[in-house]
Amino acid sequence: MAFQLPQNVLLKIQEHGEQGRLWLQNLDKTVAQLAKQWHLQIAEILQGGSESIVFAATQVNDTQVALKLGIPNMCDTAKEANIYRLAAGKGYPRLLVEDKINNAILMEQLGLPLTIVQASMENQLQIMCQTLADAWIESDAPQGFLSGAEKARSLAEYIQEMWQTLNAPCSGASVEQALGYAAARENAYDPHKSLLVHGDVHGLNTLQCIDNPKQYKFIDPDGIFAEPELDLGVMMRDFSQHFLAGDTLRLAQECCQMLASLTTTDANAIWQWSFLERMSTGLLLLKIGLTDEGKAMLSVADCLSARA
């Protein structure tokens, strides 16, 4: 059983040196073992993602499923499985079984990503908002997941560190704005107003249901116990070219207000999370060599901070 792995997955595996090499060397054996254990016919590798490998497969009853193996120390499928278990098929794929030893899960197979199905930014955002209404999970406590306060702190630390490491690729004003927003979201954290949110909502993580193309579900959740505005802010970090094509501040404000209206949430919190996510993701993209996308994200941030 030999598969051609996506290049971005191979690059991630190489980051782990000998451990990554051994994991890759044993991959065929692991997949064969899981296929036998769960009575699967493995079809192909599904595209998307870089910290795991997902195989399309079929069970003996001809049910289409997805087998996901997480790269060690990068993708923890046990945490993901916990989200799916709590969601019970609502807003997320149904979890069928997990294997913690092999860092693997078997779940409902989904269809095409939203970014392929819908070209319009407005349509994508509306569908993601509708899907979030199902995906947000009520919880009284973090249940081992990162809190909104911890997330805000980690974003601030990452932005400071990477801005210096990358020799100031955007304005200092944008960094100061981000740090101020991080402090505001950390101080605003309230467990009584928090939900178990996805944490990384975007069009490639939003997939069509095979049996109902009008319905979508999320994959690859980070899992954060935070205010729902965090997910909406993450959604705004993309679409940089749309924001740069006109009056960046006005277009971003209109997008933010639309998300707040669709979900009855706080526009100011969405705005602050979106700026933090735009800054941290833009810096990350520069770090890993996706220069054009990273520069575009940081250009939006500079435009917004200059007119704040």
Side-chain angles (χ1 to χ4, degrees):
M1 187 184 298
F3 298 97
Q4 185 68 38
L5 300 187
Q7 184 62 26
N8 54 350
V9 172
L10 288 172
L11 290 173
K12 286 286 187 179
I13 293 172
Q14 288 171 10
E15 291 181 17
H16 283 281
E18 182 65 12
Q19 183 184 21
R21 189 189 66 78
L22 288 173
W23 184 80
L24 184 59
Q25 180 180 307
N26 291 321
L27 180 62
D28 282 357
K29 181 180 177 182
T30 302
V31 173
Q33 174 194 326
L34 291 169
K36 182 178 180 181
Q37 177 179 316
W38 291 335
H39 308 290
L40 304 175
Q41 182 69 43
I42 305 295
E44 60 181 346
I45 290 180
L46 296 172
Q47 298 302 307
S50 61
E51 298 181 353
S52 64
I53 302 173
V54 182
F55 297 89
T58 306
Q59 293 180 304
V60 290
N61 60 0
D62 292 331
T63 300
Q64 293 176 288
V65 294
L67 169 63
K68 178 171 183 175
L69 282 80
I71 299 174
N73 300 319
M74 281 193 170
C75 174
D76 181 3
T77 61
K79 186 175 79 168
E80 185 173 343
N82 194 24
I83 295 278
Y84 294 162
R85 192 177 295 108
L86 291 168
K90 225 185 148 183
Y92 292 99
R94 294 185 306 277
L95 175 69
L96 303 175
V97 64
E98 66 176 311
D99 184 326
K100 293 182 179 179
I101 294 176
N102 288 303
N103 196 23
I105 54 175
L106 190 68
M107 57 189 173
E108 170 189 5
Q109 188 182 145
L110 299 173
L112 294 172
L114 178 59
T115 50
I116 294 177
V117 180
Q118 294 284 346
S120 158
M121 181 190 79
E122 289 77 9
N123 288 347
Q124 288 186 40
L125 293 176
Q126 287 173 2
I127 289 170
M128 285 189 277
C129 285
Q130 292 166 3
T131 309
L132 281 172
D134 287 332
W136 283 329
I137 300 171
E138 299 282 348
S139 179
D140 296 328
Q143 300 191 54
F145 293 98
L146 207 65
S147 74
E150 291 169 328
K151 177 65 174 178
R153 268 199 308 276
S154 69
L155 288 174
E157 291 167 0
Y158 183 82
I159 289 167
Q160 283 183 297
E161 177 185 350
M162 289 310 303
W163 188 74
Q164 294 173 349
T165 299
L166 297 173
N167 298 316
C170 61
S171 73
S174 292
V175 175
E176 290 303 313
Q177 188 77 277
L179 297 182
Y181 287 161
R185 296 332 310 153
E186 181 178 355
N187 292 335
Y189 170 69
D190 183 348
H192 301 294
K193 296 179 181 179
S194 296
L195 303 165
L196 192 53
V197 304
H198 183 286
D200 192 24
V201 175
H202 54 75
L204 291 174
N205 273 350
T206 310
L207 306 185
Q208 269 185 327
C209 294
I210 292 176
D211 57 353
N212 182 3
K214 292 185 178 180
Q215 184 182 6
Y216 289 79
K217 293 184 177 183
F218 295 123
I219 59 168
D220 296 344
D222 286 344
I224 303 171
F225 185 62
E227 56 192 348
E229 287 86 353
L230 187 154
D231 272 343
L232 300 165
V234 172
M235 287 161 54
M236 269 191 67
R237 77 184 173 200
D238 296 323
F239 311 106
S240 297
Q241 297 307 323
H242 169 82
F243 296 131
L244 293 171
D247 183 333
T248 302
L249 178 61
R250 178 181 61 80
L251 291 172
Q253 288 173 334
E254 289 174 353
C255 180
C256 185
Q257 289 295 334
M258 181 183 77
L259 293 175
S261 177
L262 286 171
T263 55
T264 320
T265 51
D266 179 57
N268 185 57
I270 295 172
W271 184 268
Q272 293 182 347
W273 281 116
S274 73
F275 194 91
L276 281 167
E277 287 288 340
R278 182 172 288 116
M279 284 286 291
S280 60
T281 304
L283 292 167
L284 172 62
L285 292 174
L286 289 185
K287 177 189 174 186
I288 64 176
L290 296 175
T291 306
D292 291 343
E293 296 94 326
K295 284 183 176 179
M297 278 195 180
L298 296 179
S299 292
V300 173
D302 280 349
C303 289
L304 299 180
S305 65
R307 295 177 59 181

